[in-house]
């Protein structure tokens, strides 16, 4: 409580005490004092127990307007919570902008307190991302990929037992609302056409209000239809063991890029497999689909234009450079069955 308020209360209390002391000599003082104090005490108790909670509830339910989204303030709230934290956005400068370090620290603090942090971003390969890029005259795909890389790095920094508390997914539907939730309070905005939603007017509401309930249900719906960030950044690959009747080997999550003619990967484990099996083809299953088999081919120096395009796409997607790429060429199942197995 401010010092000035305390001084005022002390002054009023002193005046009341002096008035009571001087009034002690009046006839029927005790009876008059009790008669006047009783209704005042009842009124005060009624105000504190009934009226004040109602006013507080009305104040909490009130929709508050903000000119823009305050990232530092949101980070402070996240750092102090042990409840649910949700972010729904196309992409967010909270994650990869000037407040990235502060956000990462606040997430680590929230996770230590037992909070669950859920981040839902627009799928960088979706039609909605291309449409949003046109509206903003910006590369939405590049910004989303930057967010995903930073979130994956943040997840890797968490203790293994806490990593499940930071959940990141992507959605493909056209974006309609932006949501930043910390506990029971939500910051909500609707996407403007020509600017980022965080730069527009924000509505702060409680989750118990009709708007808060609607937005929370929308988030839950998008979350249930979203896909994991691992599906965006990696593909599930298993080498086919020809000596065991085409049995799938140990699963590997590998980084990849999509070329115009198929799937390409840059991973030393695939290169090692090609070096070990020079006399026979190396075949793999992708994403557990055993009905389709891919054969590995090293992209050679004679395909320099292709290598340059793949290197540029890989650098844009993962933020690091790659020089060696392996092509995954699909093979019809019938051709595989016609080929005799080598012993």
């Amino acid at each position: 409580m401010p010092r000035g308020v305390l001084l005022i209360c002390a002054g009023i209390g002193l005046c009341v005490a002096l008035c009571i002391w001087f009034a002690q000599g009046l006839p029927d003082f005790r009876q008059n004092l009790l008669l006047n104090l009783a209704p005042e005490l009842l009124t005060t108790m009624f105000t504190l127990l009934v009226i004040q909670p109602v006013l507080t509830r009305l104040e909490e339910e009130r929709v508050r307007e903000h000119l823009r989204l305050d990232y530092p303030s949101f980070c402070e709230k996240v750092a102090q919570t042990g409840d649910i934290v949700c972010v729904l956005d196309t992409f967010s400068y909270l994650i990869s902008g000037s407040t990235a370090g502060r956000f990462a620290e606040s997430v680590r603090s929230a996770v230590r307190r037992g909070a669950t942090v859920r981040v839902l971003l627009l799928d960088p390969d979706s039609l909605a991302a291309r449409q949003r890029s046109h509206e903003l005259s910006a590369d939405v795909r590049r910004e989303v990929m930057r967010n995903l890389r930073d979130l994956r790095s943040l997840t890797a920094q968490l203790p293994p037992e806490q990593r499940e508390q930071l959940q990141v997914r992507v959605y493909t539907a056209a974006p309609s609302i932006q949501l930043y939730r910390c506990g029971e309070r939500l910051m909500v905005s609707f996407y403007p056409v020509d600017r980022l939603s965080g730069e527009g007017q924000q509505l702060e509401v409680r989750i118990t209000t009709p708007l808060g309930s609607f937005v929370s249900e929308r988030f839950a719906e998008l979350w249930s239809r979203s896909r994991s960030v691992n599906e965006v950044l990696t593909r599930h690959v298993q080498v086919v063991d020809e000596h065991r009747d085409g049995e799938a080997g140990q699963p590997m999550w590998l980084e990849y890029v999509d070329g115009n003619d198929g799937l390409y990967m840059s991973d030393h484990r695939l290169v090692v497999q090609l070096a070990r099996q020079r006399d026979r083809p190396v075949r793999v299953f992708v994403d557990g689909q055993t009905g389709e088999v891919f054969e590995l081919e090293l992209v050679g120096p004679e395909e320099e234009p292709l290598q340059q395009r793949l290197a540029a796409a890989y650098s844009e997607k993962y933020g690091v450079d790659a020089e060696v790429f392996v092509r995954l060429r699909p093979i019809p199942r019938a051709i595989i069955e016609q080929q005799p197995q080598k012993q």
Side-chain angles (χ1 to χ4, degrees):
M1 186 177 293
R3 184 178 179 182
V5 175
L6 293 175
L7 291 176
I8 292 174
C9 292
I12 293 175
L14 179 60
C15 291
V16 171
L18 290 174
C19 290
I20 294 174
W21 185 77
F22 283 117
Q24 286 181 354
L26 296 176
D28 301 326
F29 167 76
R30 185 181 300 275
Q31 292 82 353
N32 290 327
L33 178 63
L34 294 176
L35 183 63
N36 285 280
L37 285 181
E40 295 295 336
L41 289 174
L42 290 175
T43 302
T44 302
M45 292 175 62
F46 181 78
T47 301
L48 292 175
L49 297 178
V50 179
I51 298 179
Q52 185 62 34
V54 172
L55 295 177
T56 302
R57 182 72 176 181
L58 291 175
E59 177 63 21
E60 291 178 347
E61 299 291 337
R62 185 174 64 88
V63 176
R64 303 174 185 175
E65 297 183 8
H66 301 268
L67 295 178
R68 62 192 307 276
L69 183 58
D70 189 346
Y71 290 141
S73 175
F74 182 75
C75 288
E76 291 179 5
K77 295 175 182 177
V78 171
Q80 298 171 5
T81 190
D83 201 349
I84 185 74
V85 176
C86 296
V87 173
L88 169 62
D89 212 334
T90 303
F91 65 88
S92 179
Y93 288 130
L94 170 71
I95 301 170
S96 301
S98 59
T99 58
R102 192 170 183 176
F103 173 71
E105 182 57 38
S106 66
V107 168
R108 286 191 286 266
S109 176
V111 167
R112 285 193 298 268
R113 293 171 178 264
T116 298
V117 181
R118 291 181 174 177
V119 181
L120 188 57
L121 303 175
L122 188 60
D123 192 322
D125 299 320
S126 65
L127 178 62
R130 293 193 290 271
Q131 176 63 30
R132 190 61 176 157
S133 294
H134 176 71
E135 294 174 355
L136 295 175
S137 299
D139 192 341
V140 168
R141 185 182 187 278
R142 181 181 62 190
E143 296 297 337
V144 174
M145 292 305 307
R146 186 161 67 128
N147 281 176
L148 295 179
R149 290 196 304 268
D150 291 344
L151 287 169
R152 186 168 69 161
S153 175
L154 175 57
T155 301
Q157 296 171 18
L158 295 174
E161 66 275 9
Q162 296 178 352
R163 291 175 185 173
E164 291 296 325
Q165 295 172 241
L166 175 56
Q167 304 168 9
V168 183
R169 301 183 71 86
V170 295
Y171 67 98
T172 58
S176 56
I177 56 172
Q178 167 208 273
L179 164 68
Y180 284 76
R181 174 184 175 184
C182 184
E184 297 297 309
R185 306 294 301 185
L186 297 82
M187 297 291 289
V188 182
S189 176
F190 298 93
Y191 284 101
V193 174
D194 57 347
R195 58 179 174 173
L196 296 173
S197 55
E199 298 174 353
Q201 186 181 45
Q202 308 289 314
L203 302 178
E204 182 181 355
V205 298
R206 282 181 61 86
I207 195 173
T208 53
T209 62
L211 177 58
S213 177
F214 168 77
V215 173
S216 298
E217 290 175 2
R218 178 60 174 165
F219 180 89
E221 178 185 358
L222 290 174
W223 186 268
S224 66
R225 299 180 180 180
S226 61
R227 60 175 178 146
S228 168
V229 66
N230 281 336
E231 299 177 41
V232 179
L233 298 178
T234 59
R235 300 291 289 271
H236 181 237
V237 175
Q238 294 171 286
V239 177
V240 177
D241 192 339
E242 300 292 350
H243 296 292
R244 297 184 178 180
D245 298 326
E247 182 180 338
Q250 292 294 324
M252 299 180 290
W253 290 95
L254 305 182
E255 297 175 346
Y256 72 97
V257 291
D258 288 311
N260 295 330
D261 57 343
L263 194 63
Y264 293 84
M265 295 184 172
S266 180
D267 192 278
H268 71 279
R269 288 170 287 185
L270 298 183
V271 178
V272 170
Q273 286 290 339
L274 286 170
R276 288 177 178 175
Q277 300 180 204
R278 293 182 180 179
D279 58 335
R280 61 185 187 276
V282 179
R283 290 166 180 159
V284 298
F285 297 132
V286 177
D287 296 334
Q289 301 296 324
T290 57
E292 186 176 17
V293 181
F294 294 83
E295 187 171 306
L296 303 185
E297 295 178 348
L298 192 65
V299 177
E302 67 277 3
E303 301 178 274
E304 184 176 353
L306 174 62
Q307 272 195 327
Q308 292 177 350
R309 291 197 303 272
L310 294 176
Y314 190 91
S315 177
E316 178 186 355
K317 186 173 185 178
Y318 297 104
V320 295
D321 296 328
E323 299 178 354
V324 179
F325 291 92
V326 176
R327 179 189 292 110
L328 277 68
R329 182 171 60 86
I331 308 173
R333 191 74 179 179
I335 295 179
I336 300 173
E337 294 174 351
Q338 292 174 2
Q339 296 178 350
Q341 294 184 1
K342 293 188 178 183
Q343 302 295 332

